[in-house]
Amino acid sequence: MSDSCVAYEEAVAAMETRVAALAAGQAPELVWLLEHPPLYTAGTSANAADVIDARFPVHTSGRGGQMTYHGPGQRVAYVMVDLKRRGPDVRRFVATLEEWIIRTLAVFEVVGERRDDRIGVWVRRPDKGEGCEDKIAAIGIRVKQWVTLHGMALNVAPELSHFSGIVPCGVSEKRYGVTSLADLGIRVSMADVDKILRREFETLFGRTADQTVGNTENVPSRAAAASRSASLPSR
């Protein structure tokens, strides 16, 4: 986990380096929990027209998906695991990420749901009108040599107005919006969320161990140097 916001370019560079080492059998799997300063990222299916107001930097990302926002109050989890060991099934991996989020939300008495036509995890909002739903977590991944990069972003207490600068994930229907735990009236610290994320992750992926991201030559970066993450033993 990183205690302060990590610049997007530095996080991606650290992740790419770690994934290359993992693919070469020189580093263990890793889950990195962090926050970014306010920014937008464009996935491989992004439409430039979905940037309505570029009030924050826009970064091109190698992950799947369209436009999304990252910023303080949002827990980003970069999940670097070897699917050759765990089973070369990308759909199952994405479904497991969704289940991880859904189980975490359930602890806070929030019902998160999957949708066949919309990626991510959604919450029904009958208070906003019939058929209204809000996205509470986004998922976007990339796979290189069967090792995963990027992961998910869970809205704990970000500034939701920042999402208005884009069409989040290309979903423009007015009945679909964005929410967070704070928006739903759940007042919880990031540390509390991290504790549950780790517990629920272990039920799905296996035991983890603390690791300092920058404690080997595999992950250079001043941002990573003081970052702690959870590593998974080889399976």
Side-chain angles (χ1 to χ4, degrees):
M1 287 169 277
S2 295
D3 295 329
S4 58
C5 288
V6 179
Y8 188 74
E9 303 95 326
E10 292 189 15
V12 171
M15 180 167 48
E16 292 275 3
T17 300
R18 181 54 172 256
V19 163
L22 203 168
Q26 299 172 354
E29 296 175 314
L30 185 74
V31 181
W32 187 9
L33 302 181
L34 68 155
E35 294 173 82
H36 287 303
L39 57 92
Y40 301 121
T41 65
T44 54
S45 301
N47 185 338
D50 285 345
V51 180
I52 300 168
D53 176 13
R55 69 187 79 171
F56 304 119
V58 179
H59 298 270
T60 300
S61 172
R63 62 162 175 79
Q66 302 189 49
M67 298 296 307
T68 195
Y69 165 78
H70 293 311
Q74 182 190 70
R75 175 51 84 209
V76 174
Y78 289 138
V79 182
M80 293 160 263
V81 299
D82 187 350
L83 295 184
K84 285 186 296 185
R85 296 197 201 114
R86 294 177 175 272
D89 188 333
V90 176
R91 288 180 181 272
R92 186 176 71 179
F93 173 68
V94 172
T96 306
L97 291 181
E98 291 173 336
E99 183 65 20
W100 178 30
I101 297 164
I102 289 168
R103 292 187 184 195
T104 297
L105 292 173
V107 173
F108 300 108
E109 301 184 341
V110 173
V111 179
E113 299 179 82
R114 299 179 177 87
R115 292 291 176 262
D116 291 338
D117 59 337
R118 286 171 274 129
I119 194 69
V121 176
W122 296 78
V123 176
R124 296 175 191 260
R125 298 301 303 268
D127 54 309
K128 292 186 173 183
E130 185 177 355
C132 289
E133 297 184 348
D134 286 344
K135 181 180 251 186
I136 194 168
I139 294 174
I141 68 163
R142 181 183 178 192
V143 180
K144 294 177 65 175
Q145 298 180 277
W146 289 109
V147 177
T148 63
L149 300 88
H150 301 277
M152 72 87 172
L154 173 62
N155 296 332
V156 178
E159 177 51 67
L160 294 181
S161 66
H162 291 176
F163 284 89
S164 65
I166 58 171
V167 179
C169 302
V171 179
S172 58
E173 290 187 56
K174 292 189 180 298
R175 62 192 176 118
Y176 300 137
V178 180
T179 191
S180 66
L181 288 174
D183 182 51
L184 295 172
I186 310 298
R187 305 297 174 182
V188 62
S189 70
M190 193 68 79
D192 289 337
V193 172
D194 289 342
K195 179 180 178 180
I196 301 304
L197 279 171
R198 181 168 188 168
R199 187 186 77 189
E200 296 305 322
F201 184 91
E202 290 182 336
T203 66
L204 294 165
F205 288 91
R207 181 177 55 84
T208 64
D210 286 337
Q211 179 180 346
T212 300
V213 175
N215 70 341
T216 72
E217 296 178 354
N218 293 328
V219 188
S221 157
R222 72 176 182 274
S227 303
R228 295 191 63 77
S229 302
S231 63
L232 292 86
S234 298
R235 298 165 68 90

